[in-house]
C-alpha cells in the first residue's frame, strides 16, 4: 500500500483520538492539512495587552491581560449550608479597562495559587454580564511566564497567534497542536503555477504556512497573508472559470425575436421610453439569447430600477422565437403581483390566464387564438401557477404549459413539481435568487428539452467582487438608474426610547400623508398570533436585554386603529393568511380602499403601489441592512416624494443604531450592501450557506481584497482556456478537489 501523504494524515494518528475528536466535531478539522489551514484570527504581542473595553457579548474570546487583584469569598448555599461555599473573584486589566473572572467550588484552588497580582496570562471563555459588569465564568487560562523554555518554544517569538477556538479547545491548545504538525508544511503541494507565483512576488506555500503560524515579525504575517489570499481567490476563480467553460460547451436553442412579433408590438405600446440602462442591459440579454449555448446572467438593480420590465422583454423575445418562458418567484404574494403587473404591462397582448375571476371584457385564448375578442394578433397566454390554486384552475394551467398554449408562466416553487411539463421551455427567470436553493433552480432548468437560458434577478445590490465570487459563473448586468418620474425617499431614524415625542410625530406624518390622498405601510417583525407567541419564547440575547418580544402586526394594527391612527382605514397583511385573503388585501390597498397597511416583510419585494408614500418600520433594528433597503423601496414609486421612518428603542451608541444611521444616510443600495457584508461576513461562497459564520474563505475578505479577486479571475480564465482539465497542473487540480468536496461540486454543477 502507498503511504498516506503527510497532509492527508488523519489528526487522530498525530494528536491522539480525544483532541482529534474535538477538532473534528467543533472545528471541522480532520487531517493535518485541515489543521495547517486553520489560520490565526489575530496576533497578540507578548508585551502588550488586549483591549478589554471592546469585548463582544456572548462570544468565546481569548485575551491577554494582567491580574490586578484576586479575592476569595465564602458563602452559604444549598450545597454548602454552613457558609463553606467558595467563590474566587479575579480582576484582570489591560491598563484601560477591567474584566472580572469568577471561579466556584473546587475550581478555585488552582487559580487562587497561580493568578497572583501582576501575573500575565491568556484567558479564554464566554463573555457574559453579571451585575452590569462584563465577566468570564470559569475561564481557561495559560500563564505567560516568558522565561519558561516550553512557552517560548510554543509561542514563537514575540507574536502570539490567537486561533478561532471553542469552549472545548482553547487557542493555545490549538497552537500547541499546530507545533506538532508544522513540519509537514514542507510537503504542501503548491497550487499556484510557478510563473504566476514568481511574477507576483509571492512566497511558496510551505513558507507561507510556516510564517502564518510562527511569525517572527509583522512582515512575516503580511507575506503569508498575501500568498494565502491568492490561493483562495485563484482556486475559487479556477472552479468558476471551469464552470463557465463547461457551460459554453452545452447546446441551447438560440432564441431571436421576430422583427414584427410580440416584442415589437409590446415596445410600440410602451407609454414611456426605456432608460439608457434598461436598453443596454436588454441588448446584453438579447445577444446571449441569440447564442447556441445557455445564457447564465445575473441582473441586479436598485429597488424600482425596472428589472421586471427588462425580464418581461426577454420573455417576450423567447415567445417570439416559439419558446416558453417561466418566472419563478419566492412567495405567492409576489407571484400574484408579478402576474398582475406583467398582464397590465402587456395589455391585450396577454390573453388572460388564470384569474380567479377573469374580467368579462377579455377574450380567452393563447397565441393561436390571438385576434379573438379583446386579444391582439400576437397575444400569448400568461398563466399563474401557485400551490394554493383550485384543482380545476391548476389542471387548465398545466394543460396550457404542456400544449404550448401559454407562452409565459409565473409561479412559485409549484412550477418545480414533477407533473409540470413544458412544451418548449426556452428561458427561466429566477426572481430574488437568494431565496431559492440550487436544487430548486436546477429542477426547473431540467424541464427544458435542451438547457434553457437562465436569467437570475436580485434587488439586493451586490458589490462587484461579491458578484464575482459568489456568482462568478454568471455574467453580470447592473441597472443603477431609476426610471424618470421616480421620487426621492427621505429616511430618518426615530429613537422611540430616548425621544417618545418623535414617535408621536411619526404617526402625525402618516396622517398628513393620508390627508393628502396618499397611503402608508407600517412594518412589524412578527405576526402576533398564538403560534408566533410560542416561537417568541426562545429569546435572543438582544431580546433578553430588551425584556420584550418584537412588535407584532396584529397588536400594532389594533393599537394604531384605536389610538394615533383612529378614523383611518387600517388593514393587515402577513404570511399566514390564506392566499385569497392576501390577494384581496393587496387589491384593496392597490385600489386605494385601505389607508394604512400593517404588514410583515411579506411586502418586502415586488409590491408596487405608486400611491403609497410613507413607511414606518417598527423595531427596525431587528431587520438586516438589505432588508430595510428592500422595504424602503416600496414607497416613492410614484411622483410624490417618499418617507421612511426607522423606529428603534436601541441606545445611540449601539451597533444596531449605527446600522440604521447608515441606512438613513444613503439610498445607494450598492453602498449599503458593502456595509451589510462587512458586518455579516461572506458565508460559504460555494456552499448553501450564503451568509453567516460558515465560510470557505479563511483568509480572503471579498470587500477588502477586490484587486486580488479581479486579478485572480483574469489569471484563472487564461489558464482554463489553455488547459480546461488542468492536466499540466496536478497540484492545482488537487487543491480544486479539496475545495470542491462532493456537495460543493454538485452545487457548482447545478449553479
Amino acid at each position: 500500500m502507498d503511504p498516506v501523504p503527510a497532509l492527508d494524515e488523519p489528526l487522530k494518528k498525530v494528536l491522539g483520538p480525544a483532541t482529534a475528536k474535538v477538532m473534528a466535531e467543533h472545528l471541522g478539522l480532520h487531517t493535518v492539512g485541515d489543521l495547517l489551514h486553520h489560520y490565526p484570527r489575530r496576533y497578540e504581542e507578548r508585551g502588550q495587552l488586549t483591549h478589554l473595553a471592546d469585548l463582544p457579548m456572548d462570544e468565546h474570546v481569548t485575551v491577554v491581560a494582567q491580574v490586578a487583584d484576586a479575592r476569595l469569598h465564602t458563602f452559604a448555599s444549598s450545597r454548602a449550608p454552613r457558609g463553606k461555599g467558595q467563590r474566587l473573584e479575579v480582576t484582570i486589566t489591560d491598563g484601560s479597562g477591567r474584566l472580572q473572572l469568577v471561579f466556584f467550588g473546587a475550581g478555585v484552588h488552582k487559580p487562587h495559587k497561580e493568578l497572583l497580582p501582576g501575573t500575565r496570562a491568556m484567558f479564554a471563555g464566554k463573555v457574559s454580564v453579571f451585575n452590569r459588569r462584563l465577566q468570564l465564568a470559569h475561564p481557561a487560562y495559560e500563564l505567560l511566564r516568558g522565561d519558561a523554555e516550553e512557552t517560548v518554544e510554543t509561542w514563537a517569538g514575540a507574536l502570539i497567534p490567537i486561533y478561532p477556538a471553542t469552549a472545548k479547545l482553547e487557542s493555545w491548545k490549538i497552537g500547541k497542536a499546530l507545533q506538532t504538525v508544522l513540519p509537514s508544511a514542507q510537503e504542501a503541494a503548491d497550487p499556484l503555477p510557478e510563473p504566476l507565483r514568481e511574477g507576483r512576488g509571492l512566497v511558496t506555500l510551505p513558507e507561507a504556512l510556516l510564517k502564518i503560524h510562527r511569525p517572527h515579525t509583522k512582515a512575516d504575517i503580511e507575506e503569508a497573508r498575501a500568498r494565502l489570499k491568492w490561493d483562495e481567490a485563484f482556486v475559487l476563480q479556477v472552479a468558476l472559470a471551469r464552470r463557465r467553460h463547461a457551460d459554453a460547451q452545452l447546446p441551447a436553442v438560440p432564441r431571436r425575436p421576430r422583427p414584427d412579433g410580440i416584442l415589437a408590438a409590446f415596445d410600440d405600446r410602451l407609454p414611456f421610453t426605456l432608460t439608457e440602462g434598461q436598453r443596454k442591459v436588454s441588448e446584453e440579454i438579447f445577444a446571449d439569447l441569440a447564442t447556441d449555448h445557455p445564457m447564465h446572467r445575473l441582473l441586479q438593480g436598485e429597488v424600482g430600477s425596472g428589472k421586471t420590465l427588462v425580464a418581461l422583454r426577454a420573455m417576450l423575445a423567447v415567445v417570439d422565437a416559439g419558446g416558453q418562458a417561466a418566472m419563478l418567484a419566492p412567495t405567492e404574494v409576489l407571484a400574484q403581483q408579478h402576474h398582475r403587473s406583467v398582464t397590465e404591462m402587456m395589455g391585450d397582448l396577454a390573453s388572460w390566464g388564470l384569474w380567479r375571476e377573469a374580467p368579462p371584457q377579455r377574450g380567452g385564448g393563447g397565441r393561436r387564438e390571438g385576434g379573438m375578442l379583446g386579444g391582439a394578433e400576437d397575444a400569448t397566454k400568461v398563466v399563474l401557477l401557485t400551490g394554493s390554486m383550485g384543482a380545476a384552475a391548476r389542471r387548465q394551467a398545466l394543460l396550457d404549459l404542456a400544449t404550448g398554449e401559454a407562452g409565459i408562466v409565473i409561479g412559485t416553487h409549484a412550477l418545480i413539481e414533477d407533473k409540470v411539463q413544458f412544451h418548449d421551455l426556452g428561458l427561466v427567470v429566477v426572481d430574488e435568487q437568494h431565496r431559492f436553493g440550487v436544487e430548486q433552480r436546477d429542477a426547473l432548468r431540467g424541464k427544458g428539452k435542451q438547457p434553457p437560458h437562465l436569467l437570475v434577478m436580485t434587488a439586493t445590490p451586490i458589490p462587484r467582487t461579491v458578484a464575482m465570487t459568489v456568482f462568478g459563473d454568471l455574467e453580470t448586468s447592473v441597472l443603477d438608474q431609476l426610471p424618470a418620474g421616480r421620487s426621492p425617499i427621505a429616511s430618518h431614524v426615530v429613537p422611540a426610547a430616548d425621544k417618545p415625542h418623535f414617535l408621536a410625530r411619526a404617526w402625525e406624518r402618516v396622517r398628513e400623508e393620508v390627508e393628502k390622498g396618499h397611503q402608508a405601510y407600517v412594518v412589524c417583525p412578527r405576526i402576533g398570533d398564538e403560534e408566533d407567541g410560542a416561537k417568541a419564547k426562545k429569546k435572543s440575547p438582544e431580546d433578553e436585554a430588551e425584556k420584550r418580544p418584537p412588535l407584532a402586526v396584529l397588536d400594532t394594527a389594533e393599537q394604531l386603529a384605536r389610538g394615533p391612527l383612529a378614523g383611518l382605514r387600517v388593514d393587515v397583511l402577513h404570511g399566514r393568511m390564506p392566499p385569497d385573503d392576501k390577494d384581496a388585501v393587496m387589491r384593496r390597498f392597490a385600489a386605494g380602499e385601505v389607508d394604512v397597511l400593517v404588514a410583515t416583510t411579506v411586502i418586502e419585494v415586488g409590491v408596487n403601489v405608486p400611491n403609497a408614500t410613507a413607511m414606518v418600520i417598527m423595531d427596525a433594528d431587528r431587520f438586516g441592512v438589505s432588508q430595510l433597503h428592500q422595504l424602503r423601496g416600496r414607497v416613492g414609486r410614484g411622483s410624490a416624494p417618499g418617507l421612511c421612518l426607522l423606529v428603534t428603542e436601541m441606545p445611540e451608541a449601539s451597533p444596531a443604531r449605527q446600522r440604521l444611521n447608515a441606512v438613513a444616510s444613503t439610498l445607494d443600495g450598492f453602498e449599503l450592501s458593502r456595509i451589510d457584508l462587512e458586518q455579516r461576513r461572506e458565508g460559504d461562497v460555494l456552499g448553501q450557506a450564503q451568509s453567516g459564520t460558515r465560510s470557505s474563505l479563511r483568509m480572503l475578505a471579498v470587500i477588502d481584497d477586490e484587486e486580488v479577486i479581479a486579478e485572480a479571475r483574469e489569471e484563472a480564465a487564461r489558464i482554463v482556456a489553455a488547459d480546461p482539465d488542468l492536466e499540466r497542473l496536478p497540484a492545482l487540480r488537487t487543491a480544486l478537489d479539496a475545495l470542491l468536496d462532493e456537495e460543493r461540486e454538485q452545487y457548482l454543477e447545478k449553479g
Side-chain angles (χ1 to χ4, degrees), residues 46 151-160 214-216:
R46 182 175 295 288
T151 310
V152 175
E153 179 57 32
T154 307
W155 306 108
L159 293 162
I160 302 168
R214 293 191 66 168
H216 292 285

Side-chain angles (χ1 to χ4, degrees), residues 448-461:
K449 295 188 175 95
Q450 280 190 311
H453 299 281
L454 174 69
L455 180 66
V456 169
M457 297 200 297
T458 177
T460 308

Side-chain angles (χ1 to χ4, degrees), residues 39 189-194 196-197 201-209 221-235 699 708:
Y39 308 133
D190 203 321
L192 290 192
E194 194 70 16
L196 189 161
R197 187 182 68 70
L202 299 168
V203 299
T204 63
L205 182 56
E207 193 182 337
L209 291 171
I221 299 169
E222 287 314 305
E223 277 189 357
R225 281 188 168 153
R227 164 61 215 247
L228 296 167
K229 280 180 179 183
W230 248 94
D231 277 21
E232 286 186 2
F234 179 67
V235 175
M699 190 59 75
V708 176

Side-chain angles (χ1 to χ4, degrees), residues 429-683:
V429 178
V430 180
D431 191 22
E432 287 308 310
Q433 186 275 342
H434 62 279
R435 289 166 175 244
F436 285 99
V438 173
E439 283 79 7
Q440 292 169 304
R441 279 184 287 147
D442 189 48
L444 188 51
R445 273 173 56 194
K447 291 184 178 293
K449 295 188 175 95
Q450 280 190 311
H453 299 281
L454 174 69
L455 180 66
V456 169
M457 297 200 297
T458 177
T460 308
I462 306 167
R464 175 173 156 269
T465 39
V466 185
M468 277 167 44
T469 313
V470 181
F471 302 104
D473 56 339
L474 301 178
E475 296 301 321
T476 304
S477 295
V478 176
L479 277 176
D480 48 13
Q481 298 171 275
L482 290 185
R486 278 301 172 97
S487 305
I489 305 168
S491 304
H492 304 283
V493 178
V494 178
D498 313 350
K499 299 177 178 168
H501 60 287
F502 276 36
L503 183 57
R505 175 71 189 124
W507 300 127
E508 284 172 17
R509 283 293 288 111
V510 170
R511 276 190 170 282
E512 287 164 14
E513 288 301 307
V514 173
E515 279 160 16
K516 287 182 201 163
H518 298 307
Q519 293 159 279
Y521 298 99
V522 176
V523 182
C524 300
R526 209 162 58 88
I527 297 172
D529 50 21
E530 291 66 32
E531 213 177 316
D532 224 53
K535 284 183 191 165
K537 282 176 191 162
K538 281 189 75 176
K539 292 191 173 77
S540 71
E542 272 190 337
D543 291 347
E544 286 295 348
E546 290 299 306
K547 288 287 182 273
R548 72 161 176 77
L551 290 171
V553 165
L554 303 177
D555 308 339
T556 303
E558 195 181 329
Q559 287 160 10
L560 291 175
R562 285 206 314 258
L565 302 184
L568 302 188
R569 296 168 299 176
V570 177
D571 211 336
V572 299
L573 181 71
H574 60 75
R576 274 209 293 275
M577 290 164 62
D580 285 358
D581 294 358
K582 277 192 278 199
D583 199 39
V585 170
M586 274 317 301
R587 280 164 179 264
R588 286 203 302 277
F589 189 62
E593 294 161 19
V594 172
D595 298 321
V596 179
L597 185 62
V598 184
T600 55
T601 54
V602 74
I603 61 153
E604 178 187 348
V605 282
V607 173
N608 184 24
V609 180
N611 192 45
T613 53
M615 175 176 284
V616 181
I617 303 179
M618 307 304 291
D619 280 342
D621 48 89
R622 310 210 185 219
F623 299 98
V625 169
S626 299
Q627 207 172 21
L628 290 169
H629 184 57
Q630 288 270 28
L631 286 165
R632 171 171 62 185
R634 300 303 111 213
V635 295
R637 298 177 79 86
S639 53
L643 172 69
C644 179
L645 302 174
L646 306 166
V647 180
T648 179
E649 292 185 0
M650 283 297 179
E652 195 160 354
S654 64
R657 271 288 278 281
Q658 289 163 11
R659 205 167 66 229
L660 295 180
N661 291 339
V663 174
S665 69
T666 178
L667 290 171
D668 183 341
F670 287 89
E671 181 54 36
L672 286 174
S673 68
R674 290 179 77 92
I675 295 167
D676 193 25
L677 198 77
E678 280 161 5
Q679 289 179 342
R680 293 187 309 151
R681 298 194 295 279
E682 295 86 5

